[in-house]
Amino acid sequence: MTGSKDVCDLLVIGGGINGCGVARDAAGRGLSVTLAEMSDLASATSSASTKLFHGGLRYLEYFEFRLVRESLIERETLLRAMPHIAWPMRFVLPYHKDMRFESDTPTSKLLGIFMPWMRGRRPAWLIRLGLLLYDNLGGRKILPGTTTVNLTTAPEGRPLQDRFAKAYEYSDCWVEDSRLVVLNARDAEARGARILTRTQVMSAEQKDGIWHVTLKDITTDETQIVRARIMVNAGGPWVSDVIRHAIHTKSKDSVRLVRGSHIVTRRLFDHDKCYFFQGTDGRIMFAIPYETDFTLIGTTDQEHDDPDTPPVCTPQEQAYMVDFVNAYLKDPISVDDIVWTYSGVRPLFDDGSSSATAATRDYTLKVDRTVGAPLINIFGGKITTYRRLAEGVMGLVSKEMDGLPADWTAGVPLPGGDFAVDGVDAKIADLGRDYPFLTTVWARRLIRAYGTDAARLLNGATSAGDLGQAFGATLTAAEVDWLMDREYARTAEDVLWRRSKLGLRLSKEQAETLGNYMRARDTGRGSAAAE
Ligand SMILES: Cc1cc2nc3c(=O)[nH]c(=O)nc-3n(C[C@H](O)[C@H](O)[C@H](O)COP(=O)(O)OP(=O)(O)OC[C@H]3O[C@@H](n4cnc5c(N)ncnc54)[C@H](O)[C@@H]3O)c2cc1C
């Protein structure tokens, strides 16, 4: 199946979740794969999500039944493959009669026709109906179904204003999005793929049915040409830029960029459930327990013009999210309570929807042959659907290559995820027993990040000192070396904000010390390689 020596089967543009998912799937089917990512893995949208494997309860109002069903089924497949970085979460949806739809949802319009007095309102029976569908569309086995919560007595009612007496509680899942990306990249490499980070696809031209792709190392400015039979454009927010400016095809398909921002505060409530708040403007907002000591709140939907403009959470978005949750919280917060914000750009398929909220979240795969050799463009795609999306891409590749081995990724764990879906606590206890110098918090963090690889990382250490320099918040040189040697980390930011979220805990000085350590180690490696 692999191409002739210097022509690879697949060149994947982009190291977000979709590019890395495709690279892993393709490599596992025996294809020769090169993936080029112009920055760090997951440096764009795939580290800026709300971090949910979810069916998308809200999408039911847009009649996106295919997407919801596929995502609901997929949640449990993914959970089983990565019980370290993903886990079930319960969502508490407080009910109040003021809840409103966005007026242009198909459900709102339908209700307006048959029950004009209901127009714009989101009644309790409709929410219950939506949750009934949500419980039953996707063949649940692990996740519990919907229940009703009495907020006047349950602990989940305590942080909320007294006017909320009743809530519905349903299941979805949490996932560490940027770790998901890097684990897919690692597995792809273990199966033979070449993963090139800090490498930009500058241009591509077709000669005799083969792509000649110019790649540039953005740290050295060196260029190289890679030849490939098929290109997969997983450029996320840049998918249209790649089509028009790097490859110059005549495709008319384009992407709609919709920015979403999040704010992080100190922990606002002391249970492990997430709140699903509905606004009077029809939008929804999550308040999620985050990194033990924090609460994550999001998100927004704002048009974003240019992928090269870095997305930031504007003061208006911050105020909007603070006001939104304050309509629910007993103890209101202010923008001064925000400790961190992040933003990402959704690369949605431009389906001509009127509002950013209404634009489809489903993915679209297009084969573009206008230049000659096949180019597969990916538009949209949730974190939740990345594995199915990769299978869809493989279906298209299979047509180009006269067949491929069958789908294989369902049921095959990601690195470190080879243990029972409910086995995390046991793994933490085992690690604590084998490495008694670890605190419980430390052992939990390592298992949640690396799963069964945590023991390989610790490599028989008998004391914290054996793990080398300590950078703060349990981060040691042994872990940083692991991240540099096996997980493509090159800078302190890669380690603190994508391979982990220790950026929330390290001081500026500690982060600088880490940066110096990584630079010295990188330079050392470079000169050793040159000798
Ligand atoms: C606010 C927000 C919340 C979300 N919440 C959820 C959620 O809870 N659950 C869920 O399932 N989904 C969620 N999503 C959707 C999900 O995050 C995205 O759909 C997904 O991450 C897109 O992945 P991607 O690989 O297509 O794009 P990206 O992650 O953006 O990756 C594209 C990559 O291509 C690279 N690239 C571009 N051009 C080139 C080039 N010329 N050469 C080399 N590399 C290039 C970029 O550097 C980038 O890293 C959310 C999205 C947003 C914005």
Side-chain angles (χ1 to χ4, degrees), residues 186-236:
R186 269 186 60 195
D187 203 46
E189 189 173 289
R191 294 171 195 278
R194 207 156 63 112
I195 307 290
L196 306 174
T197 63
R198 268 93 183 176
T199 302
Q200 184 170 7
V201 173
M202 304 302 290
S203 61
E205 52 181 340
Q206 178 271 140
K207 289 181 196 157
D208 301 326
I210 299 289
W211 287 109
H212 291 236
V213 188
T214 304
L215 306 182
K216 183 169 99 175
D217 182 324
I218 59 149
T219 48
T220 62
D221 276 352
E222 277 168 24
T223 59
Q224 58 170 312
I225 305 242
V226 169
R227 297 196 294 154
R229 287 173 214 291
I230 301 174
M231 276 207 298
V232 176
N233 176 5

Side-chain angles (χ1 to χ4, degrees), residues 426-497:
K427 284 280 164 240
I428 294 167
D430 288 352
L431 197 71
R433 192 196 53 232
D434 296 345
Y435 293 88
F437 63 88
L438 295 177
T439 60
T440 311
V441 170
W442 192 355
R444 174 169 291 277
R445 187 178 72 71
L446 292 178
I447 291 293
R448 277 293 180 209
Y450 306 102
T452 52
D453 277 341
R456 289 176 64 207
L457 187 157
L458 294 170
N459 194 22
T462 54
S463 70
D466 285 352
L467 300 173
Q469 189 171 346
F471 298 100
T474 69
L475 182 68
T476 62
E479 187 173 352
V480 176
D481 293 354
W482 172 282
L483 293 173
M484 293 182 77
D485 295 343
R486 298 167 194 250
E487 297 199 1
Y488 320 95
R490 302 272 285 277
T491 68
E493 188 182 317
D494 301 349
V495 169
L496 296 180
W497 294 107

Side-chain angles (χ1 to χ4, degrees), residues 263-283:
I263 54 176
V264 174
T265 64
R266 295 260 152 219
R267 194 165 82 167
L268 299 178
F269 43 89
D270 57 7
H271 57 75
D272 60 0
K273 294 178 184 171
C274 164
Y275 289 106
F276 178 116
F277 294 144
Q278 305 175 74
T280 49
D281 59 356
R283 295 203 70 263

Side-chain angles (χ1 to χ4, degrees), residues 17 42-54 59 173-181 258-264 286 288 290 296-300 311 340-347 381-385 497-498 501:
I17 189 53
S43 53
T45 316
S46 297
S47 57
S49 80
T50 311
K51 307 174 204 313
L52 303 178
F53 280 152
H54 64 158
Y59 311 146
C173 307
W174 175 264
V175 60
E176 301 290 350
D177 55 3
S178 43
R179 292 213 52 76
L180 175 69
V181 176
V258 177
R259 186 177 71 246
S261 298
H262 291 82
I263 54 176
V264 174
F286 293 109
I288 312 177
Y290 188 54
L296 173 66
I297 296 168
T299 176
T300 53
W340 183 50
T341 68
Y342 66 85
S343 290
V345 179
R346 301 175 183 88
K382 309 284 296 169
I383 296 272
T384 314
T385 50
W497 294 107
R498 286 184 285 275
K501 287 292 178 290

